[in-house]
């Protein structure tokens, strides 16, 4: 960037220290900041035919002053200025509050333009802005900016106009000329001028398209450069697995892999053989077969002579993975062990001893895997299931139990593509978006609370067949603030309704971890037929006999969470059902219920959830990693985001980018020291 553009705003005429302070509060400290202080919306100031204007609409009109402006005083220091304007056949009254000083600027016969709120019944406009004897009405759209203190839009626009006049020629181009041509984008200088001083709506759109793409491009350039340099700096193991044994293992599986699974298996195997360290996120909807893909990766690494670790968030899930992997590997001679906080004493010592000697091929466990005395002989692959349940530090400790092990993260929470590109941009992302054949879709129904008796009858119908059911509630105990069903009340009601017929369990987040595991274990072994719970069953529970999910006050949950809860059923061969008990008041709530009944595709739901809730709420308020864009929107501008990502990946692979003077501004913008040091890029 030109040094003059980094100069203080006080370089401009009319900006003294006091005004500079106000601008500074708005985040405007330099000339360049002024150029990049973008409008957040535009006022339509086209001159309109009064016959076409609706009551209460904000409009701009032009007319001749018909009579002497009058001032009416009322209260202390309060006044109303009334101006009668002749507009075609109409005599319109323009009213300005506390603007008495305007009277001396206006004479009969003057032409004035007024913007304000239109009262169709009284032929009155409540004025907000006025121009007296304008040379011409040129602008159809006036930009609106966020303001602070005494700053006004007129004053700010004057400063921006002055900045263009004095320093506009110094605005440098940031995008390569090839990309400007490819997408027919205006120059940066022209786009900034059009965004601040548009002559038409089409100019606004053209400028926005350029600046949105640029914002995504610069962000992705830094992200992809960080990813590329980090990848090339992290020497991998280049695991030379036994392809013949791996193919035989895949053929021995009791089912055919889906095309999506085959694609992901190839991506993982390519990473294992690569001289770079694997850093891959595997997304797969509930029941899509992520565990089998993980098993193939584990087996490949073992045939290459390495040990593997698989860390999961709960003991129940660890036990389930241990059981299923043992079943898959029973004819292979692969040695698997389970390590959780429940494994103690002699058994734990035996596992740790065998592990350090290299006698255990695969160790599955919970946070117990990251204890300091858990030592691997030759760790080659680390898999973290439901990776968002672990902290960055916990994942790092597990990785560092080997020299440079390959790393695979798995999640059953479908993440919209736009967020995956943005938040997990430094990872390779694999997606299993195809369900195994023969799996039945969970039938989903939206039912209002006044039909609760019919729901109870349906629950009993499933239990009579020998099935089990989940009942999910949003709260643990009764709340005065929220009129929603709570787990304890629902548990009491169901206990009375099914008294003596079925065993009912209660589970929620306030229970100690051991009690939660005990309740979940009892349910998975069919000692409990009904489980009343909060959302703690959302992740990692596999009870094939459970065929019914009932969710109280379903409108209080987001689409992704509802889908995760629904995914707890439908894991067996029988038809399963999900009942959404909800009386949503808002259109948004009704829309969520409708979408849930129409699709069981988690990726479709995640995209719709993102549209309805926005990226901040999708991940939660405390989630870091979401960049703040000035003008771009990850949801609505996702095509530009994907284009920018693909363009930066291509550009960074070209030698020209790192050598040619044409790309020097972009290389400088990368702040390569930060990139190489792995500092946070935001």
């Amino acid at each position: 960037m030109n040094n003059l553009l980094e100069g203080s705003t006080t370089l401009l005429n009319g900006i003294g220290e006091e005004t500079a302070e106000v601008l500074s509060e708005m985040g405007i400290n330099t000339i360049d900041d002024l150029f990049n202080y973008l409008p957040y919306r535009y006022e339509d100031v086209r001159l309109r035919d009064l016959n076409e204007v609706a009551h209460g609409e904000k409009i701009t009109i032009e007319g001749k002053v018909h009579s002497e402006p009058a001032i009416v005083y009322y209260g202390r220091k309060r006044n109303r200025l009334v101006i009668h304007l002749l507009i075609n056949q109409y005599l319109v009254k323009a009213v300005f509050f506390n603007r008495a000083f305007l009277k001396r600027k206006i004479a009969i016969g003057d032409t004035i333009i007024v913007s304000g709120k239109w009262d169709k019944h009284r032929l009155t406009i409540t004025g907000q802005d006025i121009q007296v004897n304008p040379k011409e009405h040129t602008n159809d759209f006036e930009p609106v900016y966020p303001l602070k203190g005494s700053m006004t839009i007129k004053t700010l626009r004057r400063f921006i106009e002055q900045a263009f006049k004095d320093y506009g020629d110094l605005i440098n181009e940031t995008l390569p000329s090839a990309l400007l041509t490819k997408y027919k984008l205006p120059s940066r200088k022209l786009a900034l001028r059009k965004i601040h001083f548009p002559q038409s709506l089409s100019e606004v759109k053209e400028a926005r398209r350029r600046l949105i793409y640029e914002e995504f491009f610069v962000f992705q350039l830094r992200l992809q450069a960080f990813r590329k340099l980090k990848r090339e700096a992290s020497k991998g193991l280049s695991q030379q697995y036994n392809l013949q044994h791996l193919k035989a293992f895949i053929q021995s599986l009791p089912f055919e892999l889906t095309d999506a699974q085959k694609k992901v298996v190839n991506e993982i195997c390519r990473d294992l053989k690569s001289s770079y360290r694997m850093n891959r996120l595997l997304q797969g909807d509930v029941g899509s077969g992520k565990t089998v893909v993980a098993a193939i990766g584990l087996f490949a690494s073992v045939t290459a002579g390495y040990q593997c670790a698989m860390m999961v968030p709960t003991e129940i899930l660890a036990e389930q993975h241990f059981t299923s992997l043992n079943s898959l590997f029973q004819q292979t001679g692969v040695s698997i062990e389970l390590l959780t906080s429940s494994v103690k004493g002699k058994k734990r010592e035996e596992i740790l001893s065998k592990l350090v000697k290299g006698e255990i091929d695969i160790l599955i466990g919970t946070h117990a895997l990251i204890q300091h005395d858990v030592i691997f002989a030759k760790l080659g692959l680390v898999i973290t299931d439901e990776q968002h349940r672990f902290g960055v530090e916990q994942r790092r400790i597990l990785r560092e139990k080997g020299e440079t092990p390959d790393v695979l993260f798995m999640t059953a929470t479908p993440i919209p593509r736009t967020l995956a590109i943005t938040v997990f941009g430094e990872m390779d992302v694999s997606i299993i978006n195809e369900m195994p054949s023969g799996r039945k879709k969970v039938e989903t129904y939206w039912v209002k609370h006044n039909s609760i008796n019919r729901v109870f009858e349906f629950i009993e119908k499933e239990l009579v067949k020998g099935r089990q059911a989940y009942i999910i509630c949003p709260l643990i105990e009764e709340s005065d603030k929220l009129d929603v069903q709570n787990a304890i009340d629902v548990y009491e009601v169901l206990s009375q309704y099914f008294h003596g017929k079925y065993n009912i369990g209660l589970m929620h987040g306030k229970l100690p971890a051991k009690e939660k595991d005990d309740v979940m274990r009892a349910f998975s072994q069919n000692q409990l037929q009904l489980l009343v719970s909060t959302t703690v069953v959302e992740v990692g529970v596999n009870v094939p006999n459970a065929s019914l999910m009932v969710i109280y006050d379903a409108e209080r949950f987001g689409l992704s969470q509802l889908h995760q809860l629904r995914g707890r059923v439908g894991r067996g061969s029988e038809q399963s059902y999900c009942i959404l008990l909800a009386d949503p008041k808002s259109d948004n709530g009704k829309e969520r219920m409708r979408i849930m009944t129409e699709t069981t595709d988690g990726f479709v739901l995640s995209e719709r959830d993102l549209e309805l809730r926005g990226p901040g709420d999708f991940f939660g308020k405390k989630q870091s990693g979401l960049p703040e864009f000035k003008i771009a929107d990850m949801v609505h501008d996702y095509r530009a985001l994907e284009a920018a990502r693909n363009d930066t990946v291509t550009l960074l692979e070209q030698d020209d980018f790192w050598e040619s003077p044409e790309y020097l501004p972009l290389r400088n913008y990368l702040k390569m020291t930060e990139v190489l040091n792995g500092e946070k890029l935001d």
Side-chain angles (χ1 to χ4, degrees), residues 183 231 247 336 348 374 401 427 429 609:
Y183 297 117
R231 183 171 182 257
K247 283 183 175 178
I336 309 178
R348 187 173 190 276
V374 178
K401 291 198 175 281
M427 293 185 187
V429 179
D609 203 16

Side-chain angles (χ1 to χ4, degrees), residues 473-491 506-511 532-534 553 556:
C473 307
L475 293 177
I476 298 169
E477 297 165 340
E478 189 175 352
S479 166
D480 293 331
K481 295 179 181 177
L482 296 170
D483 181 24
V484 290
Q485 294 293 331
N486 60 80
I488 292 171
D489 276 359
V490 171
Y491 172 76
L506 174 64
M507 190 167 75
H508 52 73
K510 285 189 177 178
L511 288 178
V532 180
S533 174
T534 54
D553 300 296
R556 289 190 53 77

Side-chain angles (χ1 to χ4, degrees), residues 310-324:
M310 186 174 191
M311 184 165 71
V312 298
T314 65
E315 289 201 11
I316 288 286
L317 189 54
E319 289 168 8
Q320 287 173 183
H321 277 311
F322 179 67
T323 302
S324 60

Side-chain angles (χ1 to χ4, degrees), residues 64-69 84 103 105-111 133:
K64 283 196 179 296
V65 179
H66 183 261
S67 57
E68 186 73 21
H84 288 92
K103 185 177 187 298
K105 297 183 178 181
I106 299 168
I108 296 173
D110 281 349
T111 297
N133 292 322

Side-chain angles (χ1 to χ4, degrees), residues 95-240:
V95 178
F96 290 88
F97 289 94
N98 303 316
R99 307 276 286 279
F101 64 89
L102 289 172
K103 185 177 187 298
R104 61 178 177 269
K105 297 183 178 181
I106 299 168
I108 296 173
D110 281 349
T111 297
I112 67 172
I113 293 176
V114 179
S115 297
K117 188 176 180 182
W118 177 241
D119 185 331
K120 187 173 185 176
H121 310 303
R122 298 180 181 179
L123 292 182
T124 299
I125 184 168
T126 304
Q128 295 173 352
D129 192 29
I130 185 170
Q131 298 175 58
V132 181
N133 292 322
K135 291 176 184 175
E136 57 180 323
H137 181 78
T138 53
N139 293 341
D140 287 339
F141 301 92
E142 294 282 356
V144 180
Y145 301 84
L147 302 170
K148 284 190 178 177
S150 58
M151 186 58 59
T152 65
I153 286 178
K154 269 189 176 179
T155 304
L156 180 63
R157 278 170 61 77
R158 192 175 76 247
F159 292 152
I160 295 172
E161 198 162 14
Q162 186 67 44
F164 269 107
K165 185 180 174 185
D166 295 349
Y167 301 99
D169 289 341
L170 301 178
I171 296 174
N172 290 325
E173 183 53 67
T174 51
L175 295 177
S177 56
L179 292 176
L180 293 178
T181 304
K182 178 181 178 181
Y183 297 117
K184 297 185 173 68
L185 298 174
S187 68
R188 185 163 210 280
K189 175 184 172 183
L190 186 56
L192 286 172
R193 179 167 279 285
K194 285 182 175 181
I195 204 85
H196 289 295
F197 305 103
Q199 298 298 311
S200 65
L201 189 57
S202 62
E203 286 197 352
V204 173
K205 288 179 178 176
E206 184 186 14
R208 280 182 57 82
R209 195 167 70 88
R210 148 73 205 223
L211 296 173
I212 286 167
Y213 175 79
E214 177 190 323
E215 196 166 25
F216 281 146
F217 180 86
V218 169
F219 171 75
Q220 283 294 327
L221 187 71
R222 299 187 75 199
L223 193 64
Q224 297 308 322
F226 174 67
R227 175 176 173 267
K228 175 182 168 66
L229 295 173
K230 188 177 178 185
R231 183 171 182 257
E232 291 174 357
S234 61
K235 190 181 175 188
L237 298 173
S238 188
Q239 301 191 41
Q240 301 302 311

Side-chain angles (χ1 to χ4, degrees), residues 8-10 15-29 148-151:
S8 168
T9 54
T10 55
I15 299 183
E17 293 300 326
E18 196 174 320
T19 305
E21 266 186 50
V22 176
L23 289 171
S24 182
E25 285 175 26
M26 295 163 57
I28 303 172
N29 296 295
K148 284 190 178 177
S150 58
M151 186 58 59

Side-chain angles (χ1 to χ4, degrees), residues 45-108:
V45 294
R46 288 174 297 177
L47 297 177
R48 307 273 295 280
D49 185 334
L50 293 180
N51 291 312
E52 300 171 355
V53 179
H55 177 72
E57 200 175 341
K58 185 172 181 185
I59 62 166
T60 298
I61 58 175
E62 182 180 57
K64 283 196 179 296
V65 179
H66 183 261
S67 57
E68 186 73 21
I71 300 174
V72 178
Y73 291 94
Y74 60 98
R76 193 181 171 200
K77 294 184 179 178
R78 298 173 74 184
N79 59 75
R80 182 170 66 244
L81 174 67
V82 179
I83 309 166
H84 288 92
L85 299 175
L86 192 61
I87 304 174
N88 297 327
Q89 74 271 32
Y90 296 106
L91 190 62
V92 172
K93 185 163 65 174
V95 178
F96 290 88
F97 289 94
N98 303 316
R99 307 276 286 279
F101 64 89
L102 289 172
K103 185 177 187 298
R104 61 178 177 269
K105 297 183 178 181
I106 299 168
I108 296 173

